Amino acid sequence: MHFDVVVVGGGSAGVAAAIGAANSGVRTILIEKNPYFGGAATHSSVLTVCGLFAQQEPLLQVVGGVANQFLDTLQRLGAYPGPFRNPGSGNVIVPLDAEATKYALDQCVVQAGVTPRLHCNVTNVVISDGSIQAVQCFDHSGSFEIEAAAFVDASGEGDLTSLAGGKVRFGDDEGQVQAATLVMRIGGVPADASLSRQAFADAVHLAKAAGDTVLTKEKGMAVRLPGSGHILAMFADEVVNGLDSASLTKAEMSARNQAWHYLDVFRSHMPGFEQAYLVQTGPSIGVRETRHVKGHYTLTGEDALNGVRHEDVVARGGWPVEIHQPGQPAVYRQIKDRAYYDIPLRSLDVEGIENLWSAGRIIDCDPVAFASSRVMGTSFGTGHAAGVAAGLYAAIKHADIRDVQEELRRQGAYI
């Protein structure tokens, strides 16, 4: 097959990249291994989009473009209740409905003229003179190649970059990664039941004091989802190498064991949870971190925390630094003035491979900046930028920053 742009990975970054490229006027294919788009939102039930809004008052949206198309589609489906500010932390999220999210992303992709290819795995690349010529793919019918002029790695794991021989690192400078969490969806809880963080912590503490050694985290997060009223609970932490199937297998089975223990604890010690039941786990454990791609500029924690501006800005980061260590409550560090920082194109442009851009949680950043930029809302922004850069390169064999910025603005991005 022949396309202008190939995007690998159909999470928020990949969907935004594919739509951004297609809206630039080039033929684009979006490859995803799962049976639906959405990445962590739909496959790990992380049904809270972080990073579309800064945390300041009054409310400030910092990611637009494709993200706005997605929100508009949700709204038409009656599935966008608007942003929600956590009364405790003050952080602003957008809660999602899983099925509406799947359908909305389908609609956005199709309406942009993107060719979707689900159930498809990239197994290798064809590279020549420092450029990718094609990706080799596999589905149940066998192997095939897709040729293109430009490519976007939105795989979440840096798979395409790694296969192409690009520079990557695993985790932080010491090879450590943030904790992975298996999300639980809980039903049967009345609307007036308290979701106090301290009440959850007290319940888990009682269970641990009684001898339950399975549970990892006392202070997790729980939010009520729109529509269904289900509780989204993030407690079951695991240490996992998200690139390794053996490690993932062990972690997911262990986390499912935790989930059932947590359910018993909540039933026993949380008022209103007496008839609670487990609607779903996962399906996949929520892996926060694996590979990082080497670009032409490493976004730093100082950039993020100080709200630094860059001349080659192509996206904005508005989520605070959020660090997850296994079994520990999340540690937050706010951006200056609870505003936002700029993400430069240099951090998306993959070093050593002329026609490849990265998007989402794999962009070039240090561990502190990563703890902010990895979230789904910001990934909409970096994905959109990577897709536009790839689209322009495919059209004219050059992605000048001014042209990229102009096209992003034309498509409604906030930069």
Side-chain angles (χ1 to χ4, degrees):
M1 291 186 286
H2 303 269
F3 286 84
D4 297 311
V5 172
V6 171
V7 178
V8 177
S12 57
V15 167
I19 293 172
N23 286 343
S24 301
V26 299
R27 297 169 302 147
T28 305
I29 186 169
L30 176 58
I31 300 172
E32 168 58 42
K33 65 182 179 180
N34 290 315
Y36 39 73
F37 299 117
T42 52
H43 202 59
S44 298
S45 294
V46 185
L47 296 170
T48 53
V49 180
C50 306
L52 292 180
F53 295 82
Q55 313 313 305
Q56 66 185 41
E57 288 277 14
L59 201 62
L60 175 67
Q61 187 172 348
V62 294
V63 180
V66 176
N68 276 342
Q69 296 174 39
F70 171 59
L71 295 179
D72 289 345
T73 307
L74 285 178
Q75 191 161 43
R76 287 195 294 272
L77 295 172
Y80 177 44
F84 170 79
R85 188 182 293 276
N86 186 309
S89 67
N91 293 335
V92 182
I93 63 171
V94 173
L96 299 175
D97 173 82
E99 293 306 315
T101 297
K102 293 176 188 176
Y103 183 59
L105 292 173
D106 284 351
Q107 295 299 300
C108 290
V109 167
V110 170
Q111 289 168 9
V114 174
T115 298
R117 182 57 72 99
L118 300 168
H119 301 281
C120 182
N121 287 279
V122 173
T123 58
N124 214 333
V125 303
V126 178
I127 191 162
S128 176
D129 297 326
S131 295
I132 300 175
Q133 306 300 311
V135 290
Q136 296 175 344
C137 303
F138 175 84
D139 62 20
H140 292 299
S141 69
S143 299
F144 55 94
E145 282 189 0
I146 306 174
E147 296 179 347
F151 297 80
V152 176
D153 187 347
S155 64
E157 321 303 343
D159 289 338
L160 182 57
T161 304
S162 182
L163 288 169
K167 295 179 182 178
V168 297
R169 77 167 196 274
F170 182 84
D172 63 17
D173 294 332
E174 298 178 352
Q176 301 299 309
V177 296
Q178 288 205 26
T181 305
L182 186 73
V183 177
M184 305 164 58
R185 266 202 289 163
I186 300 171
V189 181
D192 60 352
S194 172
L195 302 184
S196 158
R197 190 171 186 177
Q198 189 58 51
F200 280 105
D202 291 344
V204 177
H205 181 73
L206 286 172
K208 284 186 173 183
D212 194 325
T213 60
V214 171
L215 310 176
T216 52
K217 182 184 287 186
E218 292 184 14
K219 292 187 176 180
M221 185 190 83
V223 296
R224 191 177 294 275
L225 296 174
S228 67
H230 293 159
I231 308 300
L232 196 73
M234 300 183 184
F235 286 84
D237 279 0
E238 295 286 341
V239 178
V240 62
N241 177 351
L243 305 179
D244 180 75
S245 60
S247 180
L248 283 165
T249 300
K250 180 180 178 181
E252 288 180 330
M253 293 180 73
S254 172
R256 282 192 286 271
N257 185 34
Q258 282 199 64
W260 284 96
H261 278 250
Y262 274 114
L263 181 65
D264 285 342
V265 170
F266 300 157
R267 283 170 170 168
S268 300
H269 301 295
M270 294 283 295
F273 279 72
E274 293 83 1
Q275 303 301 317
Y277 59 91
L278 201 56
V279 176
Q280 183 189 47
T281 59
S284 173
I285 195 168
V287 174
R288 290 185 174 88
E289 182 177 15
T290 55
R291 294 189 185 106
H292 301 271
V293 170
K294 175 63 176 171
H296 292 272
Y297 178 80
T298 302
L299 189 71
T300 68
E302 288 77 14
D303 288 336
L305 292 170
N306 294 323
V308 170
R309 304 293 188 257
H310 292 275
E311 287 190 5
D312 61 334
V313 54
V314 289
R316 293 173 175 175
W319 189 250
V321 169
E322 179 188 357
I323 300 173
H324 289 261
Q325 297 296 334
Q328 301 299 315
V331 175
Y332 289 93
R333 296 172 65 185
Q334 289 291 344
I335 299 167
K336 182 181 178 181
D337 299 326
R338 290 182 172 254
Y340 64 89
Y341 56 90
D342 286 349
I343 300 174
L345 184 61
R346 288 167 293 159
S347 297
L348 279 57
D349 191 359
V350 178
E351 184 180 278
I353 304 175
E354 183 179 351
N355 61 342
L356 176 62
W357 287 263
S358 65
R361 72 182 189 210
I362 65 171
I363 67 170
D364 191 353
C365 50
D366 73 11
V368 175
F370 164 75
S372 166
S373 65
R374 65 177 176 80
V375 296
M376 288 185 286
T378 309
S379 294
F380 269 109
T382 58
H384 194 179
V388 165
L392 292 177
Y393 181 91
I396 61 174
K397 294 298 182 285
H398 185 62
D400 179 79
I401 179 58
R402 302 306 171 201
D403 293 337
V404 172
Q405 290 173 328
E406 182 180 351
E407 179 62 19
L408 282 167
R409 291 189 183 101
R410 188 189 72 81
Q411 295 188 23
Y414 300 157
I415 58 174

